[in-house]
Structures are given as C-alpha cells and as structure tokens.
mmCIF file of all heavy atoms in Angstrom:
data_model
loop_
_atom_site.group_PDB
_atom_site.id
_atom_site.type_symbol
_atom_site.label_atom_id
_atom_site.label_comp_id
_atom_site.label_asym_id
_atom_site.label_seq_id
_atom_site.Cartn_x
_atom_site.Cartn_y
_atom_site.Cartn_z
ATOM 1 N N SER A 1 94.852 4.565 -42.248
ATOM 2 C CA SER A 1 96.210 5.075 -42.101
ATOM 3 C C SER A 1 97.158 3.972 -42.532
ATOM 4 O O SER A 1 96.915 2.789 -42.285
ATOM 5 C CB SER A 1 96.457 5.467 -40.656
ATOM 6 O OG SER A 1 97.512 6.346 -40.542
ATOM 7 N N VAL A 2 98.230 4.348 -43.218
ATOM 8 C CA VAL A 2 99.138 3.343 -43.774
ATOM 9 C C VAL A 2 100.582 3.718 -43.444
ATOM 10 O O VAL A 2 100.972 4.868 -43.536
ATOM 11 C CB VAL A 2 98.988 3.275 -45.317
ATOM 12 C CG1 VAL A 2 100.001 2.317 -45.925
ATOM 13 C CG2 VAL A 2 97.586 2.878 -45.708
ATOM 14 N N VAL A 3 101.339 2.711 -43.062
ATOM 15 C CA VAL A 3 102.786 2.843 -42.929
ATOM 16 C C VAL A 3 103.374 1.831 -43.894
ATOM 17 O O VAL A 3 103.080 0.635 -43.786
ATOM 18 C CB VAL A 3 103.260 2.581 -41.475
ATOM 19 C CG1 VAL A 3 104.779 2.554 -41.415
ATOM 20 C CG2 VAL A 3 102.713 3.611 -40.547
ATOM 21 N N PHE A 4 104.143 2.289 -44.839
ATOM 22 C CA PHE A 4 104.778 1.411 -45.821
ATOM 23 C C PHE A 4 106.149 1.023 -45.330
ATOM 24 O O PHE A 4 107.026 1.869 -45.165
ATOM 25 C CB PHE A 4 104.849 2.132 -47.174
ATOM 26 C CG PHE A 4 105.416 1.274 -48.269
ATOM 27 C CD1 PHE A 4 104.730 0.163 -48.730
ATOM 28 C CD2 PHE A 4 106.637 1.596 -48.826
ATOM 29 C CE1 PHE A 4 105.250 -0.618 -49.740
ATOM 30 C CE2 PHE A 4 107.175 0.808 -49.840
ATOM 31 C CZ PHE A 4 106.477 -0.310 -50.294
ATOM 32 N N LEU A 5 106.355 -0.259 -45.067
ATOM 33 C CA LEU A 5 107.637 -0.737 -44.555
ATOM 34 C C LEU A 5 108.445 -1.368 -45.681
ATOM 35 O O LEU A 5 107.916 -2.133 -46.479
ATOM 36 C CB LEU A 5 107.398 -1.784 -43.458
ATOM 37 C CG LEU A 5 106.607 -1.329 -42.235
ATOM 38 C CD1 LEU A 5 106.358 -2.487 -41.292
ATOM 39 C CD2 LEU A 5 107.302 -0.189 -41.529
ATOM 40 N N GLN A 6 109.718 -1.051 -45.709
ATOM 41 C CA GLN A 6 110.652 -1.587 -46.696
ATOM 42 C C GLN A 6 111.969 -1.896 -46.031
ATOM 43 O O GLN A 6 112.333 -1.252 -45.038
ATOM 44 C CB GLN A 6 110.938 -0.562 -47.782
ATOM 45 C CG GLN A 6 110.014 -0.591 -48.946
ATOM 46 C CD GLN A 6 110.502 0.379 -50.028
ATOM 47 O OE1 GLN A 6 110.633 1.548 -49.776
ATOM 48 N NE2 GLN A 6 110.788 -0.138 -51.202
ATOM 49 N N LYS A 7 112.688 -2.826 -46.613
ATOM 50 C CA LYS A 7 114.054 -3.070 -46.173
ATOM 51 C C LYS A 7 114.907 -1.877 -46.593
ATOM 52 O O LYS A 7 114.724 -1.312 -47.672
ATOM 53 C CB LYS A 7 114.595 -4.370 -46.766
ATOM 54 C CG LYS A 7 113.892 -5.583 -46.248
ATOM 55 C CD LYS A 7 114.496 -6.815 -46.842
ATOM 56 C CE LYS A 7 113.756 -8.039 -46.287
ATOM 57 N NZ LYS A 7 114.288 -9.273 -46.845
ATOM 58 N N VAL A 8 115.854 -1.490 -45.756
ATOM 59 C CA VAL A 8 116.719 -0.341 -46.040
ATOM 60 C C VAL A 8 117.424 -0.518 -47.389
ATOM 61 O O VAL A 8 117.538 0.418 -48.173
ATOM 62 C CB VAL A 8 117.744 -0.143 -44.895
ATOM 63 C CG1 VAL A 8 118.776 0.881 -45.264
ATOM 64 C CG2 VAL A 8 117.034 0.232 -43.625
ATOM 65 N N LYS A 9 117.875 -1.731 -47.663
ATOM 66 C CA LYS A 9 118.658 -1.940 -48.897
ATOM 67 C C LYS A 9 117.827 -1.750 -50.180
ATOM 68 O O LYS A 9 118.396 -1.505 -51.240
ATOM 69 C CB LYS A 9 119.337 -3.309 -48.887
ATOM 70 C CG LYS A 9 118.369 -4.481 -48.916
ATOM 71 C CD LYS A 9 119.128 -5.784 -48.834
ATOM 72 C CE LYS A 9 118.159 -6.954 -48.858
ATOM 73 N NZ LYS A 9 118.823 -8.219 -48.679
ATOM 74 N N THR A 10 116.504 -1.802 -50.085
ATOM 75 C CA THR A 10 115.677 -1.637 -51.286
ATOM 76 C C THR A 10 114.897 -0.312 -51.307
ATOM 77 O O THR A 10 114.259 0.001 -52.289
ATOM 78 C CB THR A 10 114.674 -2.799 -51.443
ATOM 79 O OG1 THR A 10 113.846 -2.835 -50.277
ATOM 80 C CG2 THR A 10 115.386 -4.136 -51.622
ATOM 81 N N ALA A 11 115.016 0.468 -50.249
ATOM 82 C CA ALA A 11 114.254 1.726 -50.138
ATOM 83 C C ALA A 11 114.884 2.813 -51.003
ATOM 84 O O ALA A 11 116.103 2.967 -51.024
ATOM 85 C CB ALA A 11 114.186 2.179 -48.704
ATOM 86 N N LYS A 12 114.052 3.573 -51.705
ATOM 87 C CA LYS A 12 114.550 4.713 -52.491
ATOM 88 C C LYS A 12 114.767 5.926 -51.599
ATOM 89 O O LYS A 12 115.582 6.755 -51.857
ATOM 90 C CB LYS A 12 113.570 5.040 -53.623
ATOM 91 C CG LYS A 12 113.503 3.882 -54.600
ATOM 92 C CD LYS A 12 112.893 4.292 -55.882
ATOM 93 C CE LYS A 12 112.926 3.047 -56.704
ATOM 94 N NZ LYS A 12 112.684 3.021 -57.978
ATOM 95 N N ARG A 13 113.959 6.068 -50.573
ATOM 96 C CA ARG A 13 114.176 7.107 -49.573
ATOM 97 C C ARG A 13 113.658 6.596 -48.235
ATOM 98 O O ARG A 13 112.780 5.744 -48.171
ATOM 99 C CB ARG A 13 113.503 8.426 -49.968
ATOM 100 C CG ARG A 13 112.057 8.382 -50.224
ATOM 101 C CD ARG A 13 111.548 9.737 -50.739
ATOM 102 N NE ARG A 13 111.420 9.853 -52.148
ATOM 103 C CZ ARG A 13 110.418 9.384 -52.867
ATOM 104 N NH1 ARG A 13 109.442 8.764 -52.301
ATOM 105 N NH2 ARG A 13 110.370 9.560 -54.169
ATOM 106 N N ILE A 14 114.210 7.149 -47.174
ATOM 107 C CA ILE A 14 113.873 6.706 -45.815
ATOM 108 C C ILE A 14 113.368 7.930 -45.040
ATOM 109 O O ILE A 14 114.101 8.918 -44.928
ATOM 110 C CB ILE A 14 115.066 6.067 -45.110
ATOM 111 C CG1 ILE A 14 115.525 4.833 -45.898
ATOM 112 C CG2 ILE A 14 114.714 5.715 -43.677
ATOM 113 C CD1 ILE A 14 116.825 4.245 -45.399
ATOM 114 N N TYR A 15 112.152 7.848 -44.562
ATOM 115 C CA TYR A 15 111.592 8.941 -43.765
ATOM 116 C C TYR A 15 111.767 8.709 -42.284
ATOM 117 O O TYR A 15 111.877 9.651 -41.499
ATOM 118 C CB TYR A 15 110.096 9.080 -44.059
ATOM 119 C CG TYR A 15 109.804 9.480 -45.484
ATOM 120 C CD1 TYR A 15 109.366 8.571 -46.428
ATOM 121 C CD2 TYR A 15 109.987 10.804 -45.918
ATOM 122 C CE1 TYR A 15 109.089 8.949 -47.723
ATOM 123 C CE2 TYR A 15 109.739 11.172 -47.211
ATOM 124 C CZ TYR A 15 109.281 10.247 -48.110
ATOM 125 O OH TYR A 15 109.034 10.623 -49.394
ATOM 126 N N ALA A 16 111.763 7.462 -41.872
ATOM 127 C CA ALA A 16 111.933 7.136 -40.461
ATOM 128 C C ALA A 16 112.383 5.677 -40.375
ATOM 129 O O ALA A 16 112.194 4.907 -41.328
ATOM 130 C CB ALA A 16 110.627 7.320 -39.701
ATOM 131 N N THR A 17 112.925 5.322 -39.253
ATOM 132 C CA THR A 17 113.366 3.950 -39.033
ATOM 133 C C THR A 17 112.725 3.430 -37.746
ATOM 134 O O THR A 17 112.802 4.102 -36.707
ATOM 135 C CB THR A 17 114.912 3.900 -38.905
ATOM 136 O OG1 THR A 17 115.474 4.457 -40.078
ATOM 137 C CG2 THR A 17 115.393 2.476 -38.716
ATOM 138 N N ILE A 18 112.100 2.289 -37.839
ATOM 139 C CA ILE A 18 111.562 1.627 -36.643
ATOM 140 C C ILE A 18 112.660 0.748 -36.113
ATOM 141 O O ILE A 18 113.108 -0.194 -36.795
ATOM 142 C CB ILE A 18 110.308 0.809 -36.984
ATOM 143 C CG1 ILE A 18 109.211 1.733 -37.499
ATOM 144 C CG2 ILE A 18 109.850 0.014 -35.759
ATOM 145 C CD1 ILE A 18 107.976 0.997 -38.018
ATOM 146 N N ILE A 19 113.142 1.053 -34.915
ATOM 147 C CA ILE A 19 114.277 0.283 -34.384
ATOM 148 C C ILE A 19 113.805 -0.860 -33.458
ATOM 149 O O ILE A 19 114.564 -1.789 -33.234
ATOM 150 C CB ILE A 19 115.292 1.174 -33.653
ATOM 151 C CG1 ILE A 19 114.637 1.934 -32.487
ATOM 152 C CG2 ILE A 19 115.968 2.115 -34.618
ATOM 153 C CD1 ILE A 19 115.613 2.620 -31.569
ATOM 154 N N HIS A 20 112.591 -0.751 -32.954
ATOM 155 C CA HIS A 20 112.114 -1.796 -32.048
ATOM 156 C C HIS A 20 110.624 -1.624 -31.839
ATOM 157 O O HIS A 20 110.107 -0.511 -31.949
ATOM 158 C CB HIS A 20 112.848 -1.684 -30.699
ATOM 159 C CG HIS A 20 112.695 -2.861 -29.799
ATOM 160 N ND1 HIS A 20 113.018 -4.130 -30.166
ATOM 161 C CD2 HIS A 20 112.270 -2.941 -28.526
ATOM 162 C CE1 HIS A 20 112.791 -4.942 -29.163
ATOM 163 N NE2 HIS A 20 112.332 -4.257 -28.138
ATOM 164 N N ALA A 21 109.935 -2.694 -31.570
ATOM 165 C CA ALA A 21 108.516 -2.646 -31.239
ATOM 166 C C ALA A 21 108.224 -3.653 -30.162
ATOM 167 O O ALA A 21 108.863 -4.699 -30.068
ATOM 168 C CB ALA A 21 107.678 -2.950 -32.487
ATOM 169 N N LYS A 22 107.250 -3.316 -29.320
ATOM 170 C CA LYS A 22 106.899 -4.204 -28.217
ATOM 171 C C LYS A 22 105.486 -3.896 -27.795
ATOM 172 O O LYS A 22 105.038 -2.754 -27.905
ATOM 173 C CB LYS A 22 107.873 -3.977 -27.064
ATOM 174 C CG LYS A 22 107.865 -5.043 -25.984
ATOM 175 C CD LYS A 22 109.034 -4.805 -25.028
ATOM 176 C CE LYS A 22 109.215 -5.922 -24.081
ATOM 177 N NZ LYS A 22 109.812 -7.114 -24.680
ATOM 178 N N THR A 23 104.752 -4.867 -27.337
ATOM 179 C CA THR A 23 103.380 -4.639 -26.871
ATOM 180 C C THR A 23 103.095 -5.539 -25.678
ATOM 181 O O THR A 23 103.845 -6.481 -25.436
ATOM 182 C CB THR A 23 102.367 -4.898 -28.009
ATOM 183 O OG1 THR A 23 101.061 -4.521 -27.553
ATOM 184 C CG2 THR A 23 102.362 -6.330 -28.456
ATOM 185 N N ASN A 24 102.051 -5.223 -24.981
ATOM 186 C CA ASN A 24 101.622 -6.101 -23.901
ATOM 187 C C ASN A 24 100.104 -6.018 -23.766
ATOM 188 O O ASN A 24 99.470 -5.093 -24.243
ATOM 189 C CB ASN A 24 102.293 -5.745 -22.563
ATOM 190 C CG ASN A 24 101.677 -4.534 -21.904
ATOM 191 O OD1 ASN A 24 101.288 -3.571 -22.570
ATOM 192 N ND2 ASN A 24 101.586 -4.571 -20.587
#
C-alpha cells in the first residue's frame, strides 16, 4: 500500500491532507 506525500505548493491535485500524526 502506498501513500504519496507532496508539499501543497507542488501538488497538482490534493486528495487528502494529513494535519497531524502521533504514535505511542
């Protein structure tokens, strides 16, 4: 499974935005 991450300023289209991540 792949999630392709790009900076907003260089993305041609945006499907979703990751606003925060955390783990423990």
Side-chain angles (χ1 to χ4, degrees):
S1 200
V2 176
V3 172
F4 182 67
L5 301 175
Q6 270 186 301
K7 292 181 180 179
V8 171
K9 65 182 180 184
T10 59
K12 295 196 180 192
R13 57 185 97 80
I14 299 171
Y15 295 103
T17 303
I18 298 173
I19 59 169
H20 193 56
K22 195 170 189 75
T23 186
N24 78 323

